[in-house]
Amino acid sequence: MTTNTVWLKIDGERVTPALQEALAKLDNAGGEVVLDFCDVHRIDPGAIGVMEKLAGIAGGNTVKIVLHGVNVDIYKVLKLVKLAPRFSFLN
Amino acid sequence: MGKEDRNMPENVAPLSQERMAYLEGLVSQARTAAAVFSQYTQEDVDRIVKPMVLAGLEQAQYLARLAVEETKLGVMEDKAIKNMVATEFVYNYVKDKRTVGAIREYPERGLVEMAEPIGVIFSLTPITNPTSTVLFKCIMAIKTRNAVIFSPHPNSVHCCQEAVRIMYETAVKHGAPEGVFTCIGSHTMPDNAYLMQHKDVGLIDATGGPGAVKAAYSSGKPALGVGPGNTPVYLEKTADLDMAVVDIITSKTFDNGTICASEQTVAIDDEIYDLVLQKFAELGAHICNERETALLGRTVIDPETGVMRPMAVGQKATDIARVIGLSVKPNTKLLITPIQGVGREYPLSAEKLFPVLSVYRAKSVDEALKVCVDVNRLGGIGHTAVIFSRNDEIIRKFGEVINAGRIIVNSPGSIGALGGVYNDLVPTFSFGCGTGGGNSTTDNVNVYHYLNIKRVARRSQAHMWFRVPNQIYFNMNAVENLRHFPSRSTMIITNPALEQMGHVDIVRRSIPPETFVRVWTIPDAEPEAKVVMQGVEALNSYKVDQIVALGGGSVIDAAKIMKLKYESPEADLEELAAPFLDIRKRVVEYPTEKVNRVRMIAISTTSGTGSEVTPFAVLIDKERGCKVTLVDYSLSPDVAIVDPQFVMSMPKGLTADTGIDCLTHALEAGVSTYASPYTDSNAMQAIRLVFKYLPIAYENPRDEEARSMMHNAACIAALAFSNASVGVNHALAHAFGARFGIAHGRANALMLPHVIAYNASVPTKFRPSPNTRAYVAHKKYAMIADLLGLGGHTIEEKVKNLVAATERLLDQLGIPRSIADLGISKEEFERAMPDLARIAFDDPSWQSNPRMPLVSELVELFWSAYHGRSPAQEAPASQQETEMEVCV
């Protein structure tokens, strides 16, 4: 069995739109999606809103969402809003 | 039960699903905002706070007008001032405060305090100060990166929502996260209860009446609850009366008396009472007569509850007078009601958040203070009190007897308590009232109450020392150096045997001839209290200014204690012997004030204890049947003379026992947790000298070099253990020696090989000690083996070789290798074991041992010594080979 892995870079200057674009791509996708947060230094409530939707998709079993390169400040935010357990993290 | 269900508070009155969803939405929004806020820097939040403050100042009058219109309380102009204090004064306090990351640093203590936001704060605001409280809390929340859900008093919802809107829009415009503030519109008690108990609410900040505060504290959540007061005022006869009267009127009429810190009852000294009332009247107060006072008491205070009626709160004096049918002048600011006591039978002694002020004529300071205490305790505990006086002693006494978080001196109570205007109190709109008021703090609530303050504590480097006597003279005939010490009256303390041997005469000859010399002999045994006190009497009667202690450890110890009691007669030896864990922090202090001053010179006549340079002294308390061990560097002799001529005739057995005592001191100091490079150098040198010269001194007692070197070794080892202490070997030997009457050096010898093997193996338990940076005892033993040239390639081999060399030395000295060899039966030893183990564990000697001994391990060590099985034949437990890393 083969698994498709899609790697999506999140633009640090436009985090929420980039996440929304990722969300749109994921709607009909399967397999594993890696969201690359290496260039993201901070997230806002809007980004968290999109990530909640992403987490909803990740919970559907058809797709696994991996967050790559999340800095510790953002990791703490995700812990505070209780989203962290709903994603996988790759350093 | 799903995840969301786990957030459901318990014991909350039922809410509709729709209402719960609404409240959950508020919390979720605030939680997200708070989470996002956690990423902000100090600069980020400071950039947001300033425009918020400016917006608040800009809208101060607008919000004040809204508040008065909606609540029908207070004075618009005064509420505008409150809004300005809540913004400008609070900003002035917080602007330079660090509230993100490291907020305070104490480099000398190795401490850094760091800020952690609380997250979501649920905030109740009062009807009396609605908009100012919102402005204040919004600024604090942004400064500390928290989100707030506001729940205003039901009669001030609109003005509070408007204040929140202004703050929120400004904050978000300048970068605050969306959702950082929300304000509930219409709400009910169940709404508040639901939010108070919500798992995602971190703190409740309840500014309001007792009901709100009680609900907050009852929720089980961390809460800042501030509540009602009843401010007593003492107007004392030395006060500036004109200033006092103006201040009280200013304060009590400010916003029609709605600030809970405002004055309620003034105790006025009899001598100035009439004059003060006249001044009040001149400035627009109406002094009520007895009938008017009674009428007011019946109408503005509820006789059932003793609490003020809402109809009067925040109303003008003239309006209150009109409603109850009092005839007053149109410009009346304040109604003054003379009362004769405090309590429920005097209704106007209660809190009155309107311009009615009670006054009491006090016949004395004592009576005035008692009245103030009564008012304070009639609903005002922990809140605020005021005194006008120029008498510092009375001000201090007032501060002592009144339980109030804020005691305002010579200034208006309400505005004084707010802070920053009349004094240096922290500006606030929430007064902590301490436990007396059912609150968790007496502070003026401020930004630091909106933070979890984390403390990053670095490991501190324990202060170490190397303290030794000022002068040490050594080598043959060193005693002649006594001639350098002028003295009018010298006492030689010694024992009869040494006098008979002629040692005292040798000493006498070296003391300058003009010195008057007495000899005081004591028994050659550990000194008893009685013997010491007889010696002190002699020192006093001869007005001695120099003590020469000539003898072994017992004589020198006795002389140390005699000196202590002679110099400081009040010294309580029992207290000074109290146990301690760390000498730097011990409870007792040795006396520094001295009635007499005396120089102490110690001349040792054995080569073992090193008492001539140590800060220890042991006393036998026969009455209590115990030893009293004194430890303090003030006990160290001023001068030590290490002259081998006094040990040339030591018998072989004593040479062996004292020599091994010296070796034990050096080995234990070498691996002590208090060891330092300073003590190591001494310990290692002493070990080298003992291994080389002790067998020679034992075999050829007249060998001058060997005797001299062993005498030096004892002193050098003592310099090491005076500063690094000893270890478990001494704890075992003390217990065993005392129980079976075995000489200290011999008892040490029986334990020594076993203790080396024990200390060289990985500890079962590490003892907390900042001095222990790493477990190095095995490496230090290996280093000693190298120093002695014992060979071996690994640490394990080297330790074994050291144990074997120690055993060979004991054999050379004719010292039995087992306790059994002393003729002690196994049964007798077994019977003694519980006591031995207990006493050894109580012995402070092991405190600096590299292994913290368990009682079971002490028992094992005792049995090893009993059987005398050679540890050199057994490998130390679980010792791995490691590279040598220890330097001396």
Side-chain angles (χ1 to χ4, degrees), chain B residues 381-426:
Chain B
I381 301 178
H383 204 293
T384 302
V386 179
I387 181 168
F388 290 94
S389 173
R390 289 190 177 106
N391 184 321
D392 287 342
E393 197 176 321
I394 292 176
I395 293 170
R396 185 187 53 76
K397 190 67 192 172
F398 187 77
E400 279 178 12
V401 298
I402 299 295
N403 181 352
R406 287 141 293 279
I407 293 171
I408 308 299
V409 180
N410 294 329
S411 31
S414 57
I415 308 152
L418 287 178
V421 183
Y422 281 85
N423 51 44
D424 203 29
L425 288 175
V426 175

Short mmCIF file of all heavy atoms in Angstrom, two decimals, chain B residues 381-426:
data_model
loop_
_atom_site.label_atom_id
_atom_site.label_comp_id
_atom_site.label_asym_id
_atom_site.label_seq_id
_atom_site.Cartn_x
_atom_site.Cartn_y
_atom_site.Cartn_z
N ILE B 381 -13.51 45.43 58.11
CA ILE B 381 -12.21 44.80 58.38
C ILE B 381 -11.43 44.64 57.08
O ILE B 381 -11.97 44.17 56.08
CB ILE B 381 -12.37 43.42 59.04
CG1 ILE B 381 -13.12 43.57 60.36
CG2 ILE B 381 -11.01 42.79 59.31
CD1 ILE B 381 -13.35 42.25 61.06
N GLY B 382 -10.19 45.05 57.14
CA GLY B 382 -9.30 44.86 55.99
C GLY B 382 -9.39 45.94 54.94
O GLY B 382 -8.55 46.00 54.03
N HIS B 383 -10.38 46.83 55.03
CA HIS B 383 -10.56 47.79 53.94
C HIS B 383 -9.68 49.04 54.14
O HIS B 383 -8.48 48.99 53.88
CB HIS B 383 -12.04 48.15 53.80
CG HIS B 383 -12.40 48.63 52.43
ND1 HIS B 383 -11.93 49.81 51.91
CD2 HIS B 383 -13.18 48.07 51.47
CE1 HIS B 383 -12.40 49.95 50.68
NE2 HIS B 383 -13.17 48.90 50.38
N THR B 384 -10.27 50.11 54.63
CA THR B 384 -9.53 51.38 54.67
C THR B 384 -9.82 52.08 55.99
O THR B 384 -10.91 51.93 56.55
CB THR B 384 -9.98 52.26 53.49
OG1 THR B 384 -9.74 51.57 52.28
CG2 THR B 384 -9.22 53.59 53.46
N ALA B 385 -8.84 52.82 56.48
CA ALA B 385 -9.04 53.67 57.65
C ALA B 385 -8.26 54.96 57.43
O ALA B 385 -7.33 55.00 56.61
CB ALA B 385 -8.57 52.96 58.91
N VAL B 386 -8.66 56.01 58.16
CA VAL B 386 -8.05 57.32 57.95
C VAL B 386 -7.71 57.92 59.31
O VAL B 386 -8.47 57.77 60.26
CB VAL B 386 -9.01 58.27 57.20
CG1 VAL B 386 -8.38 59.64 57.00
CG2 VAL B 386 -9.42 57.66 55.85
N ILE B 387 -6.58 58.60 59.38
CA ILE B 387 -6.25 59.35 60.60
C ILE B 387 -5.69 60.71 60.20
O ILE B 387 -4.91 60.83 59.25
CB ILE B 387 -5.25 58.57 61.50
CG1 ILE B 387 -4.95 59.38 62.76
CG2 ILE B 387 -3.97 58.21 60.77
CD1 ILE B 387 -4.21 58.60 63.85
N PHE B 388 -6.14 61.71 60.93
CA PHE B 388 -5.57 63.06 60.80
C PHE B 388 -4.87 63.36 62.12
O PHE B 388 -5.51 63.43 63.18
CB PHE B 388 -6.66 64.09 60.53
CG PHE B 388 -7.27 63.95 59.16
CD1 PHE B 388 -8.41 63.19 58.96
CD2 PHE B 388 -6.69 64.58 58.06
CE1 PHE B 388 -8.97 63.06 57.70
CE2 PHE B 388 -7.23 64.44 56.79
CZ PHE B 388 -8.38 63.68 56.61
N SER B 389 -3.57 63.54 62.07
CA SER B 389 -2.81 63.78 63.29
C SER B 389 -1.40 64.22 62.92
O SER B 389 -0.91 63.92 61.83
CB SER B 389 -2.74 62.48 64.12
OG SER B 389 -1.88 62.65 65.22
N ARG B 390 -0.77 64.93 63.86
CA ARG B 390 0.66 65.22 63.68
C ARG B 390 1.49 64.42 64.69
O ARG B 390 2.69 64.62 64.78
CB ARG B 390 0.92 66.71 63.90
CG ARG B 390 0.38 67.61 62.80
CD ARG B 390 0.92 69.03 63.01
NE ARG B 390 0.52 69.95 61.98
CZ ARG B 390 -0.41 70.90 62.13
NH1 ARG B 390 -1.05 71.03 63.29
NH2 ARG B 390 -0.69 71.74 61.15
N ASN B 391 0.82 63.59 65.44
CA ASN B 391 1.50 62.82 66.49
C ASN B 391 1.88 61.44 65.92
O ASN B 391 1.03 60.57 65.74
CB ASN B 391 0.55 62.68 67.69
CG ASN B 391 1.22 61.98 68.86
OD1 ASN B 391 1.98 61.03 68.67
ND2 ASN B 391 0.94 62.45 70.06
N ASP B 392 3.18 61.25 65.67
CA ASP B 392 3.63 60.02 65.03
C ASP B 392 3.31 58.78 65.86
O ASP B 392 3.02 57.71 65.32
CB ASP B 392 5.15 60.07 64.77
CG ASP B 392 5.48 61.01 63.63
OD1 ASP B 392 4.55 61.32 62.85
OD2 ASP B 392 6.64 61.44 63.52
N GLU B 393 3.38 58.95 67.17
CA GLU B 393 3.14 57.79 68.03
C GLU B 393 1.68 57.33 67.92
O GLU B 393 1.38 56.14 67.86
CB GLU B 393 3.47 58.15 69.47
CG GLU B 393 3.64 56.94 70.36
CD GLU B 393 4.07 57.33 71.77
OE1 GLU B 393 4.88 58.26 71.90
OE2 GLU B 393 3.55 56.71 72.70
N ILE B 394 0.78 58.32 67.87
CA ILE B 394 -0.65 57.96 67.75
C ILE B 394 -0.93 57.38 66.37
O ILE B 394 -1.70 56.42 66.23
CB ILE B 394 -1.52 59.20 68.05
CG1 ILE B 394 -1.38 59.57 69.53
CG2 ILE B 394 -2.98 58.92 67.70
CD1 ILE B 394 -2.10 60.83 69.94
N ILE B 395 -0.26 57.93 65.35
CA ILE B 395 -0.45 57.37 63.99
C ILE B 395 0.01 55.92 63.96
O ILE B 395 -0.65 55.04 63.41
CB ILE B 395 0.33 58.21 62.96
CG1 ILE B 395 -0.28 59.61 62.84
CG2 ILE B 395 0.34 57.52 61.59
CD1 ILE B 395 0.56 60.60 62.03
N ARG B 396 1.16 55.66 64.61
CA ARG B 396 1.68 54.29 64.63
C ARG B 396 0.72 53.36 65.38
O ARG B 396 0.42 52.25 64.95
CB ARG B 396 3.06 54.28 65.30
CG ARG B 396 3.77 52.92 65.28
CD ARG B 396 5.05 52.94 66.10
NE ARG B 396 4.82 53.42 67.45
CZ ARG B 396 4.26 52.71 68.42
NH1 ARG B 396 3.88 51.47 68.19
NH2 ARG B 396 4.09 53.22 69.62
N LYS B 397 0.20 53.87 66.53
CA LYS B 397 -0.72 53.04 67.31
C LYS B 397 -1.99 52.75 66.51
O LYS B 397 -2.52 51.62 66.53
CB LYS B 397 -1.07 53.77 68.63
CG LYS B 397 -1.81 52.91 69.63
CD LYS B 397 -0.90 51.80 70.13
CE LYS B 397 -1.65 50.76 70.91
NZ LYS B 397 -0.80 49.60 71.21
N PHE B 398 -2.48 53.77 65.81
CA PHE B 398 -3.66 53.59 64.96
C PHE B 398 -3.40 52.48 63.93
O PHE B 398 -4.23 51.59 63.72
CB PHE B 398 -3.97 54.92 64.27
CG PHE B 398 -5.26 54.95 63.50
CD1 PHE B 398 -6.48 55.08 64.14
CD2 PHE B 398 -5.26 54.89 62.11
CE1 PHE B 398 -7.68 55.13 63.42
CE2 PHE B 398 -6.44 54.94 61.38
CZ PHE B 398 -7.65 55.04 62.05
N GLY B 399 -2.21 52.54 63.32
CA GLY B 399 -1.84 51.51 62.33
C GLY B 399 -1.78 50.13 62.94
O GLY B 399 -2.07 49.13 62.28
N GLU B 400 -1.40 50.07 64.21
CA GLU B 400 -1.31 48.75 64.88
C GLU B 400 -2.67 48.15 65.18
O GLU B 400 -2.89 46.96 64.99
CB GLU B 400 -0.54 48.89 66.20
CG GLU B 400 0.97 48.93 66.03
CD GLU B 400 1.67 49.13 67.38
OE1 GLU B 400 1.02 49.00 68.43
OE2 GLU B 400 2.86 49.42 67.35
N VAL B 401 -3.60 49.01 65.66
CA VAL B 401 -4.86 48.44 66.17
C VAL B 401 -5.93 48.30 65.09
O VAL B 401 -6.88 47.52 65.24
CB VAL B 401 -5.42 49.25 67.36
CG1 VAL B 401 -4.45 49.21 68.51
CG2 VAL B 401 -5.77 50.67 66.97
N ILE B 402 -5.80 49.05 64.00
CA ILE B 402 -6.82 48.99 62.95
C ILE B 402 -6.41 47.94 61.92
O ILE B 402 -5.28 47.95 61.43
CB ILE B 402 -6.98 50.36 62.27
CG1 ILE B 402 -7.43 51.42 63.29
CG2 ILE B 402 -7.97 50.27 61.11
CD1 ILE B 402 -8.80 51.20 63.87
N ASN B 403 -7.33 47.08 61.56
CA ASN B 403 -7.06 46.07 60.53
C ASN B 403 -7.60 46.60 59.21
O ASN B 403 -8.79 46.46 58.90
CB ASN B 403 -7.74 44.75 60.91
CG ASN B 403 -7.49 43.66 59.88
OD1 ASN B 403 -6.93 43.93 58.82
ND2 ASN B 403 -7.90 42.45 60.19
N ALA B 404 -6.71 47.24 58.46
CA ALA B 404 -7.13 47.80 57.17
C ALA B 404 -5.97 47.70 56.19
O ALA B 404 -4.81 47.93 56.57
CB ALA B 404 -7.55 49.26 57.34
N GLY B 405 -6.27 47.35 54.95
CA GLY B 405 -5.22 47.24 53.93
C GLY B 405 -4.61 48.60 53.61
O GLY B 405 -3.46 48.68 53.18
N ARG B 406 -5.37 49.65 53.81
CA ARG B 406 -4.91 51.00 53.52
C ARG B 406 -5.19 51.88 54.74
O ARG B 406 -6.37 52.00 55.12
CB ARG B 406 -5.66 51.59 52.31
CG ARG B 406 -5.25 51.01 50.96
CD ARG B 406 -6.43 50.83 50.05
NE ARG B 406 -7.31 49.81 50.58
CZ ARG B 406 -7.11 48.48 50.41
NH1 ARG B 406 -6.11 48.07 49.67
NH2 ARG B 406 -7.92 47.59 50.96
N ILE B 407 -4.18 52.43 55.33
CA ILE B 407 -4.38 53.37 56.43
C ILE B 407 -3.87 54.71 55.92
O ILE B 407 -2.67 54.92 55.72
CB ILE B 407 -3.66 52.89 57.70
CG1 ILE B 407 -4.37 51.61 58.17
CG2 ILE B 407 -3.67 53.97 58.77
CD1 ILE B 407 -3.71 50.86 59.26
N ILE B 408 -4.82 55.59 55.67
CA ILE B 408 -4.53 56.84 54.98
C ILE B 408 -4.27 57.93 56.02
O ILE B 408 -5.09 58.12 56.93
CB ILE B 408 -5.73 57.24 54.08
CG1 ILE B 408 -6.12 56.06 53.15
CG2 ILE B 408 -5.40 58.49 53.28
CD1 ILE B 408 -5.04 55.61 52.21
N VAL B 409 -3.15 58.60 55.88
CA VAL B 409 -2.76 59.59 56.89
C VAL B 409 -2.84 60.99 56.30
O VAL B 409 -2.26 61.28 55.24
CB VAL B 409 -1.32 59.30 57.38
CG1 VAL B 409 -0.89 60.31 58.44
CG2 VAL B 409 -1.23 57.89 57.93
N ASN B 410 -3.59 61.85 57.01
CA ASN B 410 -3.71 63.27 56.65
C ASN B 410 -4.07 63.48 55.19
O ASN B 410 -3.49 64.33 54.51
CB ASN B 410 -2.40 64.01 57.00
CG ASN B 410 -2.14 64.04 58.49
OD1 ASN B 410 -3.09 64.07 59.28
ND2 ASN B 410 -0.88 64.00 58.89
N SER B 411 -4.99 62.72 54.70
CA SER B 411 -5.49 62.91 53.33
C SER B 411 -6.86 62.25 53.19
O SER B 411 -7.27 61.46 54.04
CB SER B 411 -4.50 62.36 52.29
OG SER B 411 -3.78 61.28 52.77
N PRO B 412 -7.56 62.57 52.11
CA PRO B 412 -8.93 62.05 51.95
C PRO B 412 -8.93 60.54 51.77
O PRO B 412 -8.11 60.00 51.02
CB PRO B 412 -9.42 62.74 50.67
CG PRO B 412 -8.45 63.82 50.37
CD PRO B 412 -7.16 63.45 51.00
N GLY B 413 -9.85 59.87 52.44
CA GLY B 413 -9.87 58.40 52.42
C GLY B 413 -10.13 57.83 51.04
O GLY B 413 -9.38 56.98 50.56
N SER B 414 -11.17 58.29 50.37
CA SER B 414 -11.57 57.65 49.11
C SER B 414 -10.51 57.85 48.03
O SER B 414 -10.06 56.87 47.41
CB SER B 414 -12.92 58.21 48.65
OG SER B 414 -12.85 59.61 48.50
N ILE B 415 -10.09 59.07 47.85
CA ILE B 415 -9.12 59.32 46.77
C ILE B 415 -7.73 58.88 47.20
O ILE B 415 -6.92 58.43 46.39
CB ILE B 415 -9.16 60.81 46.36
CG1 ILE B 415 -10.62 61.18 46.06
CG2 ILE B 415 -8.30 61.06 45.13
CD1 ILE B 415 -10.95 62.61 46.29
N GLY B 416 -7.47 58.97 48.52
CA GLY B 416 -6.19 58.49 49.03
C GLY B 416 -6.02 57.01 48.81
O GLY B 416 -4.96 56.52 48.41
N ALA B 417 -7.10 56.26 49.04
CA ALA B 417 -7.01 54.80 48.89
C ALA B 417 -6.84 54.40 47.44
O ALA B 417 -6.22 53.37 47.14
CB ALA B 417 -8.26 54.15 49.47
N LEU B 418 -7.38 55.19 46.52
CA LEU B 418 -7.23 54.87 45.10
C LEU B 418 -5.76 54.84 44.68
O LEU B 418 -5.40 54.20 43.70
CB LEU B 418 -7.97 55.89 44.23
CG LEU B 418 -9.51 55.80 44.21
CD1 LEU B 418 -10.08 56.91 43.35
CD2 LEU B 418 -9.98 54.45 43.69
N GLY B 419 -4.95 55.59 45.41
CA GLY B 419 -3.50 55.55 45.17
C GLY B 419 -3.05 56.47 44.06
O GLY B 419 -3.76 56.74 43.09
N GLY B 420 -1.83 56.98 44.26
CA GLY B 420 -1.20 57.76 43.20
C GLY B 420 -1.54 59.23 43.20
O GLY B 420 -0.85 60.04 42.57
N VAL B 421 -2.62 59.63 43.91
CA VAL B 421 -3.00 61.05 43.90
C VAL B 421 -2.42 61.75 45.12
O VAL B 421 -1.68 62.73 45.00
CB VAL B 421 -4.54 61.20 43.88
CG1 VAL B 421 -4.93 62.68 43.78
CG2 VAL B 421 -5.15 60.40 42.74
N TYR B 422 -2.75 61.25 46.31
CA TYR B 422 -2.29 61.88 47.55
C TYR B 422 -1.11 61.14 48.17
O TYR B 422 -0.57 61.60 49.16
CB TYR B 422 -3.43 61.89 48.57
CG TYR B 422 -4.45 62.99 48.35
CD1 TYR B 422 -5.51 62.79 47.48
CD2 TYR B 422 -4.34 64.21 49.01
CE1 TYR B 422 -6.45 63.79 47.27
CE2 TYR B 422 -5.27 65.21 48.81
CZ TYR B 422 -6.33 65.00 47.94
OH TYR B 422 -7.25 65.99 47.74
N ASN B 423 -0.76 59.99 47.63
CA ASN B 423 0.30 59.19 48.25
C ASN B 423 0.89 58.26 47.20
O ASN B 423 0.54 58.36 46.01
CB ASN B 423 -0.27 58.38 49.43
CG ASN B 423 -1.51 57.60 49.01
OD1 ASN B 423 -1.53 56.99 47.94
ND2 ASN B 423 -2.54 57.65 49.82
N ASP B 424 1.74 57.38 47.66
CA ASP B 424 2.43 56.50 46.71
C ASP B 424 1.82 55.10 46.67
O ASP B 424 2.46 54.16 46.21
CB ASP B 424 3.92 56.43 47.08
CG ASP B 424 4.77 56.03 45.87
OD1 ASP B 424 4.36 56.35 44.74
OD2 ASP B 424 5.81 55.38 46.07
N LEU B 425 0.59 54.97 47.15
CA LEU B 425 -0.07 53.67 47.00
C LEU B 425 -0.27 53.38 45.50
O LEU B 425 -0.37 54.30 44.69
CB LEU B 425 -1.44 53.67 47.69
CG LEU B 425 -1.45 53.66 49.22
CD1 LEU B 425 -2.87 53.79 49.75
CD2 LEU B 425 -0.82 52.38 49.75
N VAL B 426 -0.34 52.09 45.19
CA VAL B 426 -0.52 51.70 43.79
C VAL B 426 -1.93 52.10 43.33
O VAL B 426 -2.91 51.76 44.00
CB VAL B 426 -0.33 50.17 43.64
CG1 VAL B 426 -0.62 49.73 42.22
CG2 VAL B 426 1.07 49.77 44.05
#
